[in-house]
């Protein structure tokens, strides 16, 4: 059953990439999934762990995580290519711009699963398979694009249409452009925008508590 979920999740991710991303970026990003998962399987085998239900569950869980670094790197690379930079300069600018952020995001995902590996007792023996699978997959999700997809993308990705050197949103998804403009508007100076920023922040804190409280009170969550 988990093998079916694994391939089903992989198919859905690939279809989503084809629908929303540049075709070449989508193909390269889709390849990151099996490469990262295969790396995790190799580590699991070296640790002497068989392909049990929890390992397969962990691989399904990792699908949505391992593709993120590759998408961020390649989209940034495509953006700088669209602004007229050469492949080498676009790759260098990509690492300078998003490299630290992607590294911290991957480390955060890894740290979340570390406690699962140090739980003692019978429960610890059961869930140890989750970090043993997820952590190698996350490490591979960072190393694969850094050492393979960014160098390859620097050669394969080309500007789409006319080069837009002065356009800060060149090569960016249309949805991302709209979100970027909203963020720029929220960051304007003035008391009105400061109040709006505080309101958005408080809404982000309060809304989950209200929804969670309503679900508990209604009996949906015990």
């Amino acid at each position: 059953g988990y093998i079916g979920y694994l391939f089903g999740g992989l198919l859905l991710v690939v279809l989503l990439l084809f629908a929303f991303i540049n075709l070449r970026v989508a193909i390269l990003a889709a390849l990151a999934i099996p490469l990262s998962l295969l790396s995790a399987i190799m580590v699991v085998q070296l640790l002497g762990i068989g392909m049990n239900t929890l390992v397969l569950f962990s691989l399904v869980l990792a699908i949505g995580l391992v593709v993120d670094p590759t998408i961020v790197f390649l989209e940034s690379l495509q953006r700088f290519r669209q602004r007229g930079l050469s492949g080498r300069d676009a790759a260098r600018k990509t690492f300078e711009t998003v490299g630290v952020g992607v590294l911290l995001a991957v480390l955060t995902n890894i740290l979340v699963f570390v406690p699962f590996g140090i739980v003692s007792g019978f429960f610890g023996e059961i869930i140890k398979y989750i970090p043993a699978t997820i952590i190698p997959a996350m490490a591979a999700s960072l190393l694969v694009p850094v050492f393979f997809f960014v160098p390859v993308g620097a050669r394969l990705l080309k500007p789409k249409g006319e080069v837009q050197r002065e356009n800060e949103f060149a090569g960016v998804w249309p949805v991302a452009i709209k979100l970027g403009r909203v963020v720029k508007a929220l960051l304007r100076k003035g008391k009105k925008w400061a109040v709006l920023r505080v309101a958005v922040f408080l809404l982000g804190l309060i809304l989950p508590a209200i929804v969670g409280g309503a679900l508990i009170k209604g009996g949906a969550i015990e």
Side-chain angles (χ1 to χ4, degrees):
Y2 281 114
I3 294 177
Y5 292 134
L6 185 63
F7 282 100
L10 180 60
L11 178 61
L12 289 174
V13 171
V14 172
L15 290 175
L16 184 68
L17 293 174
F18 275 113
F20 289 98
I21 306 180
N22 174 297
L23 180 60
R24 293 183 179 182
V25 173
I27 293 173
L28 292 175
L31 289 175
I33 300 173
L35 287 176
S36 298
L37 296 186
L38 284 173
S39 300
I41 292 172
M42 290 171 59
V43 173
V44 167
Q45 293 296 315
L46 289 174
L47 293 174
I49 300 174
M51 292 297 291
N52 56 48
T53 301
L54 280 174
V55 170
L56 291 171
F57 166 75
S58 301
L59 292 174
V60 173
L61 183 64
I63 287 178
L65 299 174
V66 297
V67 73
D68 292 343
T70 300
I71 291 177
V72 173
F73 278 128
L74 292 181
E75 275 300 298
S76 179
L77 185 65
Q78 179 67 56
R79 179 164 64 92
F80 288 120
R81 293 289 281 136
Q82 194 66 38
R83 295 177 69 177
L85 274 67
S86 66
R88 177 177 293 182
D89 290 340
R92 178 177 54 79
K93 196 72 174 176
T94 291
F95 287 127
E96 291 177 355
T97 306
V98 301
V100 174
V102 174
L103 173 62
L104 292 176
V106 171
L107 288 177
T108 301
N109 287 330
I110 289 175
L111 288 174
V112 167
F113 290 97
V114 168
F116 287 83
I118 59 178
V119 176
S120 60
F122 178 73
F123 183 64
E125 287 297 314
I126 294 175
I127 65 170
K128 69 179 183 181
Y129 300 108
I130 296 176
T133 307
I134 295 287
I135 292 176
M138 291 307 307
S141 74
L142 177 65
L143 298 177
V144 166
V146 168
F147 291 105
F148 181 67
F149 286 122
V150 171
V152 171
R155 292 181 175 273
L156 292 182
L157 300 182
K158 307 294 182 184
K160 294 175 61 179
E162 184 179 352
V163 172
Q164 305 172 42
R165 298 183 186 277
E166 304 301 324
N167 185 359
E168 62 178 325
F169 291 119
V172 180
W173 299 355
V175 173
I177 291 174
K178 293 178 181 179
L179 290 174
R181 286 173 177 163
V182 170
V183 172
K184 285 188 69 174
L186 287 173
L187 294 176
R188 291 177 183 173
K189 295 181 179 180
K191 291 184 179 179
K192 178 180 71 173
W193 296 106
V195 171
L196 186 58
R197 286 195 295 272
V198 172
V200 170
F201 176 74
L202 292 177
L203 182 64
L205 291 178
I206 296 171
L207 188 60
I210 293 174
V211 174
L215 290 173
I216 293 172
K217 186 175 181 180
I221 297 177
E222 297 182 0

